[in-house]
Amino acid sequence: MGQQVPDLDLTEEELQELDFSDIEQQYAPDFSFGFDNVIVVDNVPKVGEAKKEKLLNVIRKIFSNIGRIKENGLHMPMDSITGESKGYMFIEFETAEQAALAVKQAHGFKMDKVHVLEVNKFDDVERYAHVEEEYREPEETEFKEKEHLKSWLGDAKARDQWVMLKGDDVSIYWNNKAEQPDLEHTRQNWSETYVAWSPKGTYLATFHKQGIALWGGPSWTQMARFPHPNVKLIDFSPNEKYITTWSHEGFRGPDGELHHVAIWDIITSRMLRSFPVATPSSQDAKSGGTMKIDWPMFKWSFDDKYVARMFPDMISVYETPGMGLLDKKSFKIKDVKSFEWSPSDHILSYWTPESGNIPARVTLQRVPGREIVRTKNLFNVIDCKLYWQNGGDYMLVRVDRAKTKKQTVTNFEIFRCREKDIPVDVVEVDSVLEVNNVYWEPHGTRFVVLAQENAQKTFCLWYSLGTAKDAAAKAKKGAAPSAVPQGVKLLKSTDAKGINQVFWSPKGRFLVLAGVRGFQGDIQFWDSEELMLMNTGEHYMCTDVEWDPTGRYVTTSVSWWRFQTDTGFMMWTFTGQMLTKQNVPVFKQLLWRPRPPTLLSEEEQTRIRKNLKEYSKQFEEEDTAQTKAVSREVVARRLKLWREWNEYVARVRGDYEADADERVNVWGFDIDAVNNDEAEGIEEWVEEVIEETEEIVD
């Protein structure tokens, strides 16, 4: 039986005086229920019925890049009096996560100069409408100090770190010269494919099906996450402010196309903009064709201010952080083939082929002013490649020309970008040589070239540029102007049999010539200043060569991704002395952690170089002490093992002697007494004539 409710005969005034606040509070409706996937978009243009569908299509394109909108999920209220929309609308997504992402990414989107979208969750609008009139001071949260992202630079021993991927394990180690490295951190299944360092070593990037994660700090906590499914390629901006990601699986962009590339802000983890990429044709797909990616697709200026991409007949330059097209128009360049940024200035370099009576041309153009800094006309050109020295002082253009229908010749055009009017040096290469690649010395005036003769012999050509600084230095020593080298000089040509790659030390001067990925693994250690081969080595089936950031150590490795046997790595000094060889099963990758540029001024660096002998004594003493400490540890460990062995032998011997009576009962005699009897020994002498000579004595 239900409970009877008393019949209350109350007047209207008495009913109004009753306090139902406790009941209203107890049974207050949850306004957020059912609306967490709905957003409110304000500051939408007001349009009439004639333009309503067009505006809805524009809004649909903007938000379909972020999430999937439900069918009939767009609602734009219309004013019955004016016949125009009211300037806001509602969008219903399939999930609450998509709605939250829409608020984060679309808020502040500029439709034009006047209409900047303001996006909020529908639940938030309802909640803000019921804000209490009385202000309540929020609770003060406890301050938690963030970890220092560059703490590894403060290591007391000034050691460097490297990351190793083997099997499913990712481990980070401190390098200890020839001694055993110290394990800093390790995790299993930390990355699903490979790992990568940011340019200054602040972040470690790991790859996952959901996207990219960045890690850092002493405890290796997650610093950022970028939800881009099945990312295969990434590219950091030089100053680690932004990251570009590419995936073969596209997502729907604002323009309705499939987008494969996204550019993100690292600090906020916010997608700044996404771009479509041309995919293989259906005919190529049927024939098993793959998508060829020219990576990095977007190229960054030295200070992260601009990022550029080449399209047919134009280069588009975008300005960060808004990612808007610079001056709202691209650089129109007919038939542009390739481009590069200067590593130190806002200068674009690019080349265009011959067209009718117009010669091929290399151009340097300043950004954002678009003024032409320098051009150079070229004739009979088949192809050009641009190589900047990493200091931005020089740009080398490799020019391939047609000599005959089947043979090409190569010359170099070297732009001196720091000198007045940017003079150009021309270097002719022997016509019998086919140039493979060019390698600049970091922050130097030297470069080396690998070239082949008749596709059989390989040579390494060593070049040096004469500079005004060299001329001034030699003039002080009394050299005549004619004795000062001008232009570009070929210093030496050496045989490079079995070599296909050159790896400069990050500090310059020293370099490694190696035969990797398909070659036998020959290694040569050179001093470019003395033009001297310091040492040679071999790492059979070597696939990768990595310098440490200080230029003191080199690692060569065999990756499981290319060969499934004899995987592991070897560590060498810059002079070619092998320090260690480690055979690591399922070894995949080893990368040294980069270091940011030094904070020391040129004067401080010069003072350190002058007093290097004093510092060397201190370092040698520390190395000797460390070596002695290691030796003492080795001796102590050996003594411990020796004592344990003696204790084991004494214990076993005691057990054996205690069981003597039991052995006699089993065997019927004392076997030790039999073994101790004197045995008869037989000696046999065998004589063999090894050599016989005859000597006549007068």
Side-chain angles (χ1 to χ4, degrees), residues 1 18 264 298 512 605:
M1 297 249 337
L18 290 176
W264 310 76
F298 288 81
V512 170
Q605 294 182 53

Side-chain angles (χ1 to χ4, degrees), residues 278-294:
T279 57
S281 64
S282 58
Q283 186 68 27
D284 293 337
K286 290 179 182 178
S287 61
T290 58
M291 185 186 299
K292 185 178 180 181
I293 298 297
D294 184 15

Side-chain angles (χ1 to χ4, degrees), residues 176-243:
N176 285 326
K177 299 182 180 179
E179 308 300 332
Q180 192 74 13
D182 295 336
L183 179 63
E184 162 72 7
H185 193 81
T186 186
R187 290 187 195 179
Q188 193 170 17
N189 298 316
W190 200 358
S191 181
E192 296 181 17
T193 52
Y194 63 100
V195 296
W197 291 108
S198 59
K200 296 182 178 181
T202 306
Y203 305 105
L204 177 69
T206 57
F207 292 70
H208 311 271
K209 288 183 179 180
Q210 299 84 357
I212 299 295
L214 300 185
W215 311 80
S219 60
W220 295 100
T221 55
Q222 188 180 103
M223 298 297 170
R225 184 174 64 89
F226 310 105
H228 190 173
N230 292 309
V231 169
K232 302 299 181 185
L233 299 171
I234 65 172
D235 180 51
F236 285 92
S237 64
N239 293 312
E240 304 179 338
K241 294 180 181 178
Y242 310 102
I243 185 173

Side-chain angles (χ1 to χ4, degrees), residues 417-476:
C417 299
R418 302 298 182 199
E419 298 182 21
K420 185 179 180 180
D421 298 329
I422 310 183
V424 179
D425 294 322
V426 180
V427 180
E428 299 292 340
V429 180
D430 194 329
S431 60
V432 300
L433 296 178
E434 181 181 352
V435 174
N436 293 339
N437 214 336
V438 178
Y439 306 88
W440 275 105
E441 177 187 19
H443 304 287
T445 58
R446 292 180 284 251
F447 64 93
V448 297
V449 177
L450 285 183
Q452 283 186 311
E453 180 181 351
N454 300 324
Q456 295 178 351
K457 293 183 178 181
T458 303
F459 294 93
C460 183
L461 310 177
W462 306 72
Y463 290 92
S464 178
L465 277 70
T467 65
K469 185 177 179 180
D470 296 335
K474 294 197 174 185
K476 285 184 178 181

Side-chain angles (χ1 to χ4, degrees), residues 18-254:
L18 290 176
D19 185 10
F20 295 102
S21 59
D22 55 338
I23 300 175
E24 291 174 352
Q25 184 177 2
Q26 182 178 356
Y27 297 100
D30 184 3
F31 292 101
S32 65
F33 180 78
F35 298 104
D36 54 354
N37 62 332
V38 179
I39 63 173
V40 182
V41 183
D42 285 302
N43 208 22
V44 178
K46 295 180 180 181
V47 297
E49 285 290 344
K51 295 184 178 180
K52 178 180 177 181
E53 282 302 320
K54 184 177 181 180
L55 177 59
L56 288 175
N57 288 334
V58 172
I59 296 295
R60 186 179 288 108
K61 286 183 178 181
I62 293 173
F63 286 91
S64 61
N65 175 41
I66 302 171
R68 189 179 295 276
I69 300 173
K70 279 189 174 183
E71 187 176 356
N72 300 323
L74 286 175
H75 177 64
M76 185 165 60
M78 304 294 291
D79 193 320
S80 58
I81 299 176
T82 63
E84 292 185 340
S85 59
K86 294 186 177 182
Y88 63 90
M89 64 187 307
F90 303 94
I91 302 178
E92 185 177 4
F93 289 93
E94 289 190 348
T95 65
E97 290 75 16
Q98 293 174 359
L101 190 61
V103 173
K104 183 177 181 181
Q105 294 191 5
H107 183 73
F109 181 87
K110 293 183 179 180
M111 296 190 68
D112 53 45
K113 291 183 178 180
V114 178
H115 299 93
V116 180
L117 300 184
E118 297 180 2
V119 186
N120 294 282
K121 289 184 180 180
F122 181 85
D123 291 346
D124 290 344
V125 175
E126 194 67 35
R127 186 165 58 251
Y128 297 149
H130 294 82
V131 175
E132 297 180 2
E133 294 185 3
E134 184 181 351
Y135 172 74
R136 291 185 181 181
E137 188 174 346
E139 295 182 3
E140 185 177 350
T141 57
E142 184 181 355
F143 172 74
K144 293 183 179 179
E145 186 176 357
K146 292 185 178 181
E147 294 184 339
H148 192 358
L149 295 181
K150 299 189 183 298
S151 58
W152 94 94
L153 296 173
D155 180 62
K157 299 178 183 178
R159 297 175 297 176
D160 284 291
Q161 290 183 345
W162 42 270
V163 61
M164 180 172 66
L165 173 60
K166 59 175 181 177
D168 296 327
D169 295 336
V170 178
S171 302
I172 298 168
Y173 294 89
W174 288 102
N175 184 47
N176 285 326
K177 299 182 180 179
E179 308 300 332
Q180 192 74 13
D182 295 336
L183 179 63
E184 162 72 7
H185 193 81
T186 186
R187 290 187 195 179
Q188 193 170 17
N189 298 316
W190 200 358
S191 181
E192 296 181 17
T193 52
Y194 63 100
V195 296
W197 291 108
S198 59
K200 296 182 178 181
T202 306
Y203 305 105
L204 177 69
T206 57
F207 292 70
H208 311 271
K209 288 183 179 180
Q210 299 84 357
I212 299 295
L214 300 185
W215 311 80
S219 60
W220 295 100
T221 55
Q222 188 180 103
M223 298 297 170
R225 184 174 64 89
F226 310 105
H228 190 173
N230 292 309
V231 169
K232 302 299 181 185
L233 299 171
I234 65 172
D235 180 51
F236 285 92
S237 64
N239 293 312
E240 304 179 338
K241 294 180 181 178
Y242 310 102
I243 185 173
T244 309
T245 58
W246 175 86
S247 173
H248 63 284
E249 295 184 8
F251 55 89
R252 195 66 60 182

Side-chain angles (χ1 to χ4, degrees), residues 383-436:
D383 190 20
C384 287
K385 287 184 172 56
L386 311 177
Y387 302 88
W388 278 94
Q389 181 240 27
N390 70 341
D393 300 331
Y394 309 99
M395 185 186 73
L396 183 149
V397 182
R398 168 186 160 184
V399 184
D400 295 330
R401 292 184 169 90
K403 182 179 182 182
T404 63
K405 290 184 178 180
K406 296 183 179 180
Q407 190 177 8
T408 62
V409 294
T410 302
N411 75 286
F412 302 137
E413 310 272 342
I414 302 177
F415 291 67
R416 296 175 177 262
C417 299
R418 302 298 182 199
E419 298 182 21
K420 185 179 180 180
D421 298 329
I422 310 183
V424 179
D425 294 322
V426 180
V427 180
E428 299 292 340
V429 180
D430 194 329
S431 60
V432 300
L433 296 178
E434 181 181 352
V435 174
N436 293 339

